[in-house]
Amino acid sequence: MSRKNVLVFRDLPPDQLACLQTVHEVTVADPRQPAQRAAFDAALAEAHGLIGASFPISAELLARAPQLQAISSISVGVDNYPLQALQSRGIVLCHTPGVLDETVADAVFALLMATCRRVVELSQMVREGRWDRSIGEDLFGHDVHGRTLGLLGFGRIGQAVARRAALGFGMPVLYHARRPVDLALQAPALLGRAEHVPLADLLARADIVVALLPLSDSTRGLVDARAFASMKPGAIFINGGRGATVVEDDLLAALDHGTLRAAGLDVFATEPLPLASPLRTHPRVTPLPHIGSATHGTRHAMARLATTNLLQALAGETPAAVYRTIGA
């Protein structure tokens, strides 16, 4: 197989970078770094393959890569890529599903627990020397066990969160997705423990609503003022999917003027979160810096799968994980 040109636009673990360098000519250039942007632009013009994440590859950028054959994203979500343009040129798009499901579910449930029990806020109180007596009711948290969990999206990650909730905390689980999941086939542990319901029903019944939605035309801004107003008084909202599925101004209004008790957010419409965003310092928001898959083991597994995908695609083979549009 002839050596091809590969552009790495986010750092890879050394062993995976070496795998690519053994087979292809590799340029590492991060377009987020001003000093590396010229190298990125030059390599893009010659690239047969791209590998990276967390940088939007627009249709305009794609047009500047006339030799491109494949993109391998070190992510599950593909909202940073122009799907129609890729399809029209026959460029393969790969991603990394499966290897991060349990890790993201861990993070989402940790955020849920931290938000309900006010863990970050109360830990900060201790750190700042403000714990000088037993806390009063104004600082009490809210139970998680036995509460009704509502999941917006019920793919692999949603099902992993549901198992933690139902089996570990005795929580009834409601979920909303385009179609019911065959629990007997896909999630037998959740038989009799998870119920597919209409969106309005979920919002009205759930004590804790967790959004795990991919970003698409149908989900962008789905969680808006109407959705927040439909939630149970005192509900807690968690977002571990994509930031732009939530209208953030409506979320703030629901916290300040509605009945939403608190929110835990690992994702935002703009990332990193701007310093001026009220979500950064809101007393009833627990914000995290998009850490869902951020463990050493999982990030390495994602990079390994992405590297394998790209090597297979450039060799003319069917990659292990080609992106296909699937329901939430």
Side-chain angles (χ1 to χ4, degrees):
M1 181 180 66
S2 61
R3 293 175 71 86
K4 297 184 177 180
N5 298 318
V6 170
L7 172 55
V8 178
F9 62 94
R10 181 168 184 165
D11 287 344
L12 282 173
D15 61 328
Q16 299 308 302
L17 182 61
C19 285
L20 289 174
Q21 291 170 329
T22 299
V23 183
H24 298 297
E25 302 300 326
V26 177
T27 299
V28 179
D30 185 346
R32 306 162 197 76
Q33 305 296 326
Q36 298 182 38
R37 187 59 194 248
F40 172 86
D41 290 338
L44 183 66
E46 305 295 328
H48 299 99
L50 301 181
I51 182 169
S54 303
F55 182 77
I57 303 297
S58 64
E60 185 274 331
L61 276 180
L62 199 65
R64 291 158 49 196
Q67 301 188 72
L68 194 62
Q69 300 172 10
I71 298 176
S72 186
S73 186
I74 313 172
S75 66
V76 175
V78 295
D79 42 286
N80 274 326
Y81 305 97
L83 301 183
Q84 290 186 345
L86 291 171
Q87 184 175 7
S88 68
R89 284 183 51 184
I91 296 170
V92 176
L93 176 62
C94 306
H95 64 152
T96 60
V99 295
L100 73 170
D101 299 343
E102 297 297 332
T103 298
V104 175
D106 284 349
V108 169
F109 211 85
L111 179 57
L112 184 159
M113 291 286 293
T115 302
C116 290
R117 296 303 304 270
R118 304 172 70 170
V119 170
V120 176
E121 174 188 359
L122 296 178
S123 176
Q124 192 65 26
M125 184 183 75
V126 176
R127 287 177 178 273
E128 294 174 355
R130 293 183 288 111
W131 183 34
D132 54 8
R133 62 179 62 87
S134 295
I135 66 170
E137 290 188 9
D138 59 320
L139 292 175
F140 286 0
H142 302 278
D143 287 329
V144 174
H145 66 275
R147 299 303 185 189
T148 298
L149 175 67
L151 291 167
L152 305 181
F154 202 61
R156 290 180 296 265
I157 295 171
Q159 292 168 32
V161 172
R163 288 195 305 273
R164 286 157 175 73
L167 305 180
F169 287 77
M171 302 173 73
V173 175
L174 310 174
Y175 73 92
H176 177 72
R178 293 181 183 178
R179 60 190 67 85
V181 170
D182 184 344
L183 295 179
L185 180 64
Q186 297 186 39
L190 295 174
L191 275 171
R193 300 177 185 272
E195 178 186 359
H196 179 258
V197 297
L199 178 58
D201 194 18
L202 182 149
L203 296 176
R205 293 170 56 189
D207 298 298
I208 303 166
V209 176
V210 176
L212 294 167
L213 298 165
L215 184 61
S216 67
D217 290 342
S218 62
T219 64
R220 186 180 297 275
L222 178 68
V223 188
D224 58 7
R226 179 178 299 182
F228 288 119
S230 299
M231 290 182 189
K232 194 173 184 178
I236 287 172
F237 175 70
I238 307 294
N239 192 7
R242 285 293 182 266
T245 62
V246 177
V247 180
E248 292 178 343
D249 285 345
D250 292 352
L251 170 59
L252 286 163
L255 288 166
D256 290 336
H257 308 296
T259 59
L260 192 66
R261 190 184 303 279
L265 308 172
D266 189 36
V267 292
F268 302 89
T270 300
E271 296 180 1
L273 186 65
L275 291 178
S277 172
L279 293 172
R280 187 175 65 86
T281 56
H282 196 286
R284 288 195 280 155
V285 173
T286 302
L288 294 177
H290 203 149
I291 66 165
S293 63
T295 68
H296 293 290
T298 293
R299 286 290 175 86
H300 190 274
M302 292 169 67
R304 183 170 61 246
L305 177 54
T307 300
T308 299
N309 282 336
L310 186 59
L311 289 171
Q312 291 172 329
L314 293 179
E317 303 169 0
T318 301
V322 176
Y323 173 76
R324 291 181 178 86
T325 302
I326 57 175

